[in-house]
């Protein structure tokens, strides 16, 4: 920007600072800083200290009440963590010993895949990260269509004409010496016919025989027969048999997770969807399911993502010789927890992918013993989820107590949210006063204290100002009384001493005595009027009167009183002014004060202009002079009692500092007011406004 503009901005900022400084100075006046400091120290600092101590005590009471109330819940969670920690440690130590005894990926490690607590077994070796190879042979079993009795039974069953004969045919095959494929088909056929006869129990018996005898075989598609058979069992179970359906679904899901590495991913997804259809309840997850259970075996992309953290775990296991735990969130597989062990030769490392749901079921076994309702516990994870949820803070903020679970699931936390009514009444007593509430309470209290302090200081300032004004008034009155009294005494002594030689001189002395007596009487009248105003004893006599007549009467009186020093006064009224109720004498005195004030502070050759106007709501009288003017800092105070602007241009002007105060008092008693607008060396305009709203029209 240009230098001129910068200079203008700087000047504007200086003006603002100067205005603030003058405002503060006008507010403080001449009050000593020691008094201000004393008030602040005596009121503000002790109040803040007491407030701080009270808030600290409240916070401490809140903490004590909550700690006392939540200790039983915290103790239960510690006991739960201790029990679960011992159970998990025993199981993980067993895995560690088993892996330490294995010298190559053989039967010892393959047996871990059948453990329901392990979802998957991975190896890190010279070939890199890879799943544990499947070494045990799987028996294939399917019907080749050459058993004549089975063909006839199927035809009878499919025709629906004689299902009882088909059932007898199936039973004969089971009693004979047929091969395993034919016996499996006969068991399934018998189960189907019994189900058609609404014999659910018998249908389940034949289906269970098929699962027990031939569930470990695979069909012509390579799918383990237990999977479709268990799915069929879910269809046969009664909907009311919640326990049986839950056990069957858990068995099916565990088997599906175990076999997922041998099966096509699409087949795995198909079976999972079918299980969910049969076990899902409104508002509840599928039986045996878990939020973190993988939907299928780990894909190549998922293994690639796990490569770096699992290699790091293997390196740590190599140096420490202890089991290492890896916790990660894999897209598509959710949270995964691996336990990494070194084999005896330290050339290969085994990564056991732990089944979180199975491990957490161990924790649920202890809930009844500890009298903990499962519905009161909320499990949260500190691992970042796939949707970006980073922490359990929101859940934990509502919990009474929380406890981190032992390794390897120490990224999980149990949050205890007791049932309604189980908490002591005092536990929630301070919850309404949160930290934010307390903070706002401190702010409001500090503002209140500051406002009280400022009001106190202002009252002290006003009292000191009033006392100073009264003291100045007494000094001023004493001086003003002595001046006419001294003149009267001097002329009286001159007359009594006979030092007057002629009648003209005697008449001059008597004239001066009379003039000074009038001056003294006028001063006394002013003081008495001031006293009446202070004591609210002035009584107004209201009559119907026109403001135009009042102005003309005031101008006439002023002209008669100042015949020796005449002034030109112009009265302008372009309309008829309505009569209103007023105290005529007081209103004439008000106008005399305004006219006299204009005459005092303007040259004799300058005309005084009086304008009268009337609107619907008010009557306005303007007294305009072209005199010295009033500085802005003095314009607000010219209506104060005994106040006179301290200016070298006005020091020689006579006055008591009461005229404008009387004028405003009279105006306000008549439902009006007086305001001033002025410019230095250009004159002043005093505007009297009388409202007609509350005043009856004449």
């Amino acid at each position: 920007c240009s230098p001129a503009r910068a200079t203008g901005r700087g000047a504007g900022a200086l003006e603002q600072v100067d205005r603030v400084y003058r405002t503060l100075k006008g507010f403080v006046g001449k009050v000593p800083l020691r008094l201000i400091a004393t008030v602040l120290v005596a009121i503000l600092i002790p109040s803040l200290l007491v407030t701080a101590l009270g808030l600290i005590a409240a916070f401490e009471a809140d903490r004590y009440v909550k700690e006392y109330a939540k200790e039983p819940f915290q103790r239960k969670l510690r006991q739960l963590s201790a029990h679960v920690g011992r159970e998990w440690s025993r199981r993980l130590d067993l895995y560690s010993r088993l892996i330490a005894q294995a010298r190559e990926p053989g039967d010892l490690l393959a047996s871990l895949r059948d453990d329901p607590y392990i979802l998957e077994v991975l190896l890190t070796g010279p070939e890199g990260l890879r799943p544990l190879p499947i070494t045990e042979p799987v028996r294939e079993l399917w019907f080749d269509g050459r058993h004549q009795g089975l063909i006839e039974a199927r035809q009878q069953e499919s025709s629906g004409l004689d299902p009882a004969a088909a059932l007898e045919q199936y039973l004969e095959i089971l009693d004979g010496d047929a091969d395993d494929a034919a016996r499996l088909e006969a068991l399934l056929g018998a189960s189907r016919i019994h189900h058609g006869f609404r014999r659910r129990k018998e249908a389940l018996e034949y289906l269970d025989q098929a699962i027990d005898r031939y569930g470990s075989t695979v069909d012509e598609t390579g799918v383990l027969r237990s999977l479709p058979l268990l799915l069929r069992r879910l269809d046969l179970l009664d909907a009311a048999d919640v326990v049986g359906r839950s056990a069957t679904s858990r068995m099916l899901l565990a088997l599906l997770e175990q076999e997922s590495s041998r099966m096509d991913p699409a087949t795995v997804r198909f079976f999972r969807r079918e299980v969910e259809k049969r076990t899902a309840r409104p508002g509840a997850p599928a039986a045996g399911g878990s939020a973190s259970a993988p939907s299928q075996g780990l894909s190549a992309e998922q293994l690639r993502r796990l490569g770096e953290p699992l290699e790091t775990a293997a390196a740590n296991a190599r140096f420490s010789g202890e089991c290492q735990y890896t916790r990660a969130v894999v897209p598509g597989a959710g949270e995964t927890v691996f336990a990494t062990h070194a084999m005896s030769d330290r050339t290969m490392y085994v990564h056991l992918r732990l089944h979180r749901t199975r491990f957490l079921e161990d924790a649920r076994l202890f809930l009844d013993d500890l009298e903990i309702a499962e519905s009161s516990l909320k499990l949260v994870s500190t691992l970042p989820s796939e949707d970006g949820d980073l922490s359990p803070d929101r859940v934990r903020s509502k919990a009474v107590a929380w406890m981190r679970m032992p390794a390897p699931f120490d990224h999980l936390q149990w949050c205890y949210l007791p049932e309604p009514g189980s908490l002591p009444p005092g536990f929630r007593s301070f919850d309404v006063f949160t930290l934010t509430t307390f903070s706002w309470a401190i702010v409001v209290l500090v503002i209140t204290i500051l406002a009280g302090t400022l009001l106190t200081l202002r009252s002290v300032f006003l009292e000191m100002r009033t006392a100073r004004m009264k003291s100045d008034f007494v000094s001023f009155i004493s001086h003003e009384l002595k001046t006419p009294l001294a003149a009267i005494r001097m002329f009286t002594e001159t007359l009594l001493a006979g030092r007057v030689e002629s009648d003209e001189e005697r008449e001059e002395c008597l004239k001066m005595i009379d003039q000074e007596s009038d001056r003294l009487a006028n001063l006394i009248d002013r003081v008495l009027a001031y006293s009446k105003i202070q004591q609210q004893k002035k009584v107004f006599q209201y009559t119907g009167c026109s403001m135009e007549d009042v102005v003309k009467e005031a101008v006439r009186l002023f002209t008669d009183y100042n015949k020796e020093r005449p002034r030109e006064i112009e009265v302008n009224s372009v309309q008829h002014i309505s009569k209103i109720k007023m105290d005529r004498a007081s209103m004439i005195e008000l106008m005399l004060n305004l006219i006299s004030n204009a005459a005092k502070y303007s040259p004799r050759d300058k005309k005084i202009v009086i304008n009268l106007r009337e609107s619907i709501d008010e009557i306005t009288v303007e007294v305009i002079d072209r005199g010295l003017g009033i500085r802005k800092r003095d314009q607000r105070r010219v209506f104060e009692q005994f106040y006179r602007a301290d200016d070298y241009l006005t020091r020689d002007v006579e006055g008591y500092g009461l005229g404008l105060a009387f004028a405003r008092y009279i105006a306000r008693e008549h439902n009006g007011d007086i305001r001033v607008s002025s410019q230095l060396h250009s004159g002043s305009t005093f505007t009297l406004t009388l409202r007609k709203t509350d005043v009856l029209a004449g």
Side-chain angles (χ1 to χ4, degrees):
C1 66
S2 64
R5 183 175 299 177
T7 304
R9 290 180 180 176
L14 290 176
E15 272 187 25
Q16 292 288 340
V17 173
D18 184 61
R19 187 178 296 111
V20 172
Y21 171 75
R22 282 189 276 107
T23 302
L24 292 176
K25 187 176 180 182
F27 178 80
V28 174
K30 297 182 180 179
V31 178
L33 293 176
R34 183 178 298 177
L35 175 62
I36 299 175
T38 302
V39 173
L40 289 175
V41 172
I43 297 178
L44 185 60
I45 295 179
S47 300
L48 290 177
L49 288 176
V50 171
T51 303
L53 291 175
L55 292 175
I56 291 173
F59 279 119
E60 287 297 319
D62 178 32
R63 186 183 63 81
Y64 173 76
V65 169
K66 289 190 174 181
E67 289 293 335
Y68 178 78
K70 74 180 183 180
E71 176 56 30
F73 305 108
Q74 196 73 36
R75 184 170 60 251
K76 288 183 179 181
L77 291 183
R78 285 197 296 268
Q79 294 173 354
L80 175 63
S81 180
H83 291 326
V84 174
R86 287 193 295 269
E87 182 67 21
W88 289 353
S89 178
R90 181 189 62 78
R91 186 177 301 278
L92 293 170
D93 288 344
L94 179 63
Y95 297 155
S96 180
R97 290 194 300 270
L98 184 64
I99 293 173
Q101 295 171 6
R103 298 187 179 277
E104 60 182 15
D107 293 338
L108 289 178
L109 296 185
S111 64
L112 292 175
R113 186 188 291 109
D114 298 330
D115 193 303
Y117 286 82
I118 297 175
L119 290 173
E120 198 161 2
V121 181
L122 303 179
L123 296 177
T124 296
E127 300 87 357
L129 182 65
R130 59 190 175 90
L132 179 68
I134 299 173
T135 57
E136 65 175 309
V138 180
R139 179 186 174 195
E140 295 182 355
L141 183 65
W142 64 85
F143 178 59
D144 57 7
R146 290 182 295 182
H147 195 288
Q148 187 62 33
L150 191 59
I151 295 174
E152 293 176 359
R154 281 186 172 181
Q155 290 175 350
Q156 292 175 352
E157 179 186 359
S158 60
S159 65
L161 298 176
D162 193 0
L167 177 61
E168 291 180 1
Q169 191 76 24
Y170 284 137
L171 295 179
E172 289 179 2
I173 295 173
L174 292 175
D175 293 337
D177 56 355
D179 58 9
D180 288 337
R183 296 177 70 84
L184 173 61
E185 292 297 325
L187 287 172
L188 296 178
S191 176
R192 288 194 300 272
I193 294 176
H194 277 296
H195 180 64
F197 288 156
R198 299 184 181 279
R199 302 169 186 168
R200 183 178 290 107
K201 182 179 179 181
E202 289 79 1
L204 284 172
E205 288 179 357
Y206 283 105
L207 185 62
D208 288 342
Q209 289 182 36
I211 294 173
D212 292 340
R213 295 181 185 180
Y214 308 109
S216 59
T217 63
V218 297
D219 60 14
E220 58 272 17
T221 63
V223 176
L224 192 69
R225 288 192 180 274
S226 290
L227 295 176
L229 295 181
L230 287 173
L231 202 61
R232 174 63 178 166
R233 193 175 195 280
L234 278 176
D235 293 334
L236 294 180
L237 285 172
D238 187 6
D241 188 4
V242 178
V243 176
R245 293 178 65 85
S246 178
T248 303
S249 62
R250 284 200 300 268
M251 186 185 306
L252 200 157
L253 287 172
L255 191 62
L256 188 61
E257 291 165 2
Q258 178 180 329
E259 296 296 318
S260 58
S261 60
R262 305 181 185 181
M263 299 168 58
D264 181 66
T267 306
V268 175
R269 288 194 296 272
F270 167 77
F271 277 105
R272 285 194 173 278
R273 284 195 300 269
E274 294 300 317
V275 173
E276 291 174 359
K277 289 179 184 178
R278 290 164 172 77
T279 58
R281 301 186 304 275
S290 170
S292 63
S295 60
Q296 62 185 58
L298 294 176
S299 63
E301 175 62 23
Q302 292 168 341
L303 288 176
R304 187 188 64 78
R305 287 177 175 268
L306 288 169
E308 183 177 349
L310 291 182
E311 287 178 4
T312 302
N316 293 335
R318 180 187 306 117
F319 290 108
S320 65
E322 298 178 353
C323 175
Q324 301 293 318
Y325 298 112
T326 303
R327 305 162 189 86
V329 177
V330 180
E335 289 184 4
T336 57
V337 178
F338 286 90
T340 300
H341 300 268
M343 294 181 64
S344 58
D345 57 359
R346 300 294 179 92
T347 60
M348 297 194 68
Y349 300 89
V350 181
H351 310 285
L352 304 179
R353 184 184 176 194
L354 305 180
H355 197 317
R356 191 181 86 163
T357 304
R358 291 285 187 178
F359 276 86
L360 294 182
E361 285 178 356
D362 292 341
R364 293 186 175 92
L365 296 176
F366 299 103
L367 296 181
D368 293 337
D369 296 337
L370 296 175
E371 297 181 352
I372 299 176
E374 186 173 353
S375 59
S376 300
L377 291 178
K378 179 71 174 179
L379 189 65
V380 294
S381 174
T382 57
L383 291 179
S385 63
E386 293 182 50
D387 56 2
D389 188 11
L390 297 179
S391 70
D393 291 342
R394 186 168 63 178
V395 176
R396 200 166 66 187
S397 63
K398 300 179 181 178
V400 175
W402 62 276
M403 177 63 63
R404 188 180 295 274
M405 301 188 73
F409 295 96
D410 49 356
H411 66 287
L412 300 176
Q413 296 175 357
W414 286 114
C415 290
Y416 202 113
L417 290 85
E419 298 293 334
S422 61
L423 286 174
F427 184 77
R428 299 294 182 188
S429 59
F430 290 95
D431 276 3
V432 293
F433 297 108
T434 59
L435 181 61
T436 303
T437 307
F438 272 125
S439 301
W440 278 110
I442 293 174
V443 171
V444 172
L445 189 56
V446 170
I447 292 175
T448 304
I449 293 172
L450 287 174
T453 303
L454 291 176
L455 289 175
T456 302
L457 288 173
R458 184 173 180 81
S459 298
V460 172
F461 299 159
L462 292 176
E463 290 296 328
M464 293 185 66
R465 183 184 297 173
T466 303
R468 186 173 65 251
M469 290 168 61
K470 289 181 178 179
S471 176
D472 294 343
F473 173 70
V474 171
S475 300
F476 172 75
I477 290 298
S478 300
H479 177 268
E480 292 295 324
L481 288 174
K482 285 180 180 180
T483 301
L485 283 175
I488 292 171
R489 176 176 292 179
M490 181 185 68
F491 288 115
T492 303
E493 288 177 353
T494 301
L495 291 173
L496 291 176
R499 291 195 291 268
V500 179
E501 297 178 355
S502 63
D503 293 338
E504 292 180 359
E505 291 180 354
R506 182 181 294 105
E507 185 178 352
E508 186 68 25
C509 288
L510 292 173
K511 194 176 191 180
M512 293 299 297
I513 290 173
D514 182 64
Q515 189 175 0
E516 292 299 324
S517 298
D518 288 342
R519 179 181 173 186
L520 184 60
N522 187 29
L523 178 58
I524 292 173
D525 289 340
R526 292 280 184 176
V527 174
L528 291 176
Y530 166 71
S531 177
K532 287 182 179 181
I533 291 176
Q534 290 294 98
Q535 299 177 14
Q536 301 292 325
K537 290 183 178 180
K538 184 171 179 60
V539 179
F540 294 94
Q541 301 294 330
Y542 292 99
T543 59
C545 185
S546 171
M547 198 63 204
E548 187 174 6
D549 297 337
V550 169
V551 171
K552 290 179 179 179
E553 180 65 16
V555 171
R556 185 188 66 78
L557 291 174
F558 178 81
T559 303
D560 292 344
Y561 187 76
N562 295 275
K563 288 182 179 179
E564 298 180 359
R565 294 176 294 177
R567 295 296 300 268
E568 182 181 359
I569 301 176
E570 178 184 334
V571 179
N572 299 317
S573 178
V574 297
Q575 62 188 123
H576 173 72
I577 306 299
S578 303
K579 289 184 178 182
I580 60 174
K581 290 210 171 177
M582 67 176 72
D583 186 321
R584 178 182 172 85
S586 298
M587 198 59 67
I588 291 174
E589 182 180 3
L590 182 153
M591 291 305 304
L592 280 172
N593 278 321
L594 295 181
I595 296 171
S596 300
N597 195 68
K600 285 180 185 178
Y601 296 100
S602 62
R604 291 187 181 181
D605 58 342
K606 297 295 183 179
K607 179 169 56 174
I608 299 173
V609 179
I610 302 176
N611 297 325
L612 284 89
R613 292 192 304 273
E614 181 179 2
S615 64
I616 297 176
D617 299 323
E618 59 188 19
I619 295 173
T620 304
V621 181
E622 292 180 343
V623 180
I624 306 171
D625 65 71
R626 295 293 181 265
L628 302 176
I630 306 171
R631 291 178 298 184
K632 286 187 178 181
R633 67 182 184 184
D634 294 325
Q635 289 181 18
R636 290 188 304 171
R637 303 190 61 190
V638 293
F639 295 102
E640 295 179 5
Q641 297 165 358
F642 313 119
Y643 179 79
R644 298 191 68 204
D646 186 14
D647 194 299
Y648 71 93
L649 296 174
T650 62
R651 287 174 184 170
D652 297 333
V653 179
E654 293 184 359
Y656 309 122
L658 293 173
L660 291 177
F662 288 164
R664 170 167 278 187
Y665 172 74
I666 294 170
R668 288 182 174 177
E669 288 295 321
H670 286 74
N671 295 316
D673 200 0
I674 299 177
R675 61 182 182 272
V676 62
S677 62
S678 179
Q679 278 189 327
L680 205 59
H681 306 299
S682 297
S684 305
T685 299
F686 285 85
T687 304
L688 167 66
T689 303
L690 298 175
R691 289 188 295 275
K692 297 164 57 178
T693 305
D694 300 324
V695 181
L696 298 175

